[in-house]
Amino acid sequence: NANFASIENNTIEGGNLGVKVQNSTSAFIYNNTIKSNSGYGIQVLINSESARIKYNQLTDNEDNAIVISSSNSTEVYNNTIKENAGYGFAATNSKLLDFKGNTIEDNDGGVKYTNCDYCNLTFNKIDENGDLVFTRSFITDEVDLDDPHFRSTKLCYFLDQAYEKLLELNGD
């Protein structure tokens, strides 16, 4: 419950979770190293608006690296997300998210959107992760499925019109 909170230039290591923002406006999470926590790396939850998550390093957390849930208008730019036990990025029940310029590698899952409207995924490097999941509300015209940065992902689910494109890319 803090507005305009700023979390910058920290190392957050070995705790239960890295950073949690809830019921907040305009949180700024910038240039932190968040690693080896027993839970999530960064959570933006329940009615948080206009958060900005930029230039963070998230590694070796035991759950999802970045989670956005029931929050809107969040920018997630230029983060390095590697070797986390959950998804690199997971968003649920949110809208107007912009996930851009991030590197998501060697996580148990890549990116998961569930019930997200107008959530963009652009110019990211997504490589050598487990599942990559988008559900029905995913806006397909903001993802370039021919982009080579989507290579080496084990399993993809698209439950809307992108399903046929996915089958084509996988040679099925």
Side-chain angles (χ1 to χ4, degrees), residues 132-146:
L132 177 65
V133 179
F134 301 107
T135 62
R136 285 189 185 277
S137 60
F138 182 68
I139 306 302
T140 58
D141 60 356
E142 294 296 331
V143 175
D144 180 3
L145 294 175
D146 293 318

Side-chain angles (χ1 to χ4, degrees), residues 4-20:
F4 302 97
S6 180
I7 302 166
E8 300 179 60
N9 303 310
N10 298 289
T11 297
I12 303 167
E13 181 177 5
N16 183 34
L17 64 93
V19 174
K20 180 178 178 181

Side-chain angles (χ1 to χ4, degrees), residues 31 70 74 90 98 100 131 153 157 166 172:
N31 197 37
S70 301
T74 299
D98 198 9
K100 185 175 183 177
D131 296 347
T153 299
Y157 293 107
L166 175 68
D172 294 337

Side-chain angles (χ1 to χ4, degrees), residues 51-107:
R52 293 171 296 147
I53 303 168
K54 298 182 177 186
Y55 295 98
N56 297 286
Q57 307 288 319
L58 295 103
T59 57
D60 194 38
N61 294 291
E62 293 183 25
D63 210 321
N64 299 326
I66 299 175
V67 175
I68 310 296
S69 180
S70 301
S71 297
N72 302 319
S73 302
T74 299
E75 296 176 350
V76 181
Y77 291 178
N78 302 309
N79 298 283
T80 300
I81 303 165
K82 294 184 177 183
E83 300 173 2
N84 294 283
Y87 282 90
F89 180 68
T92 305
N93 299 323
S94 299
K95 62 183 176 183
L96 301 169
L97 305 182
D98 198 9
F99 190 74
K100 185 175 183 177
N102 300 285
T103 298
I104 306 101
E105 295 179 324
D106 298 317
N107 299 288

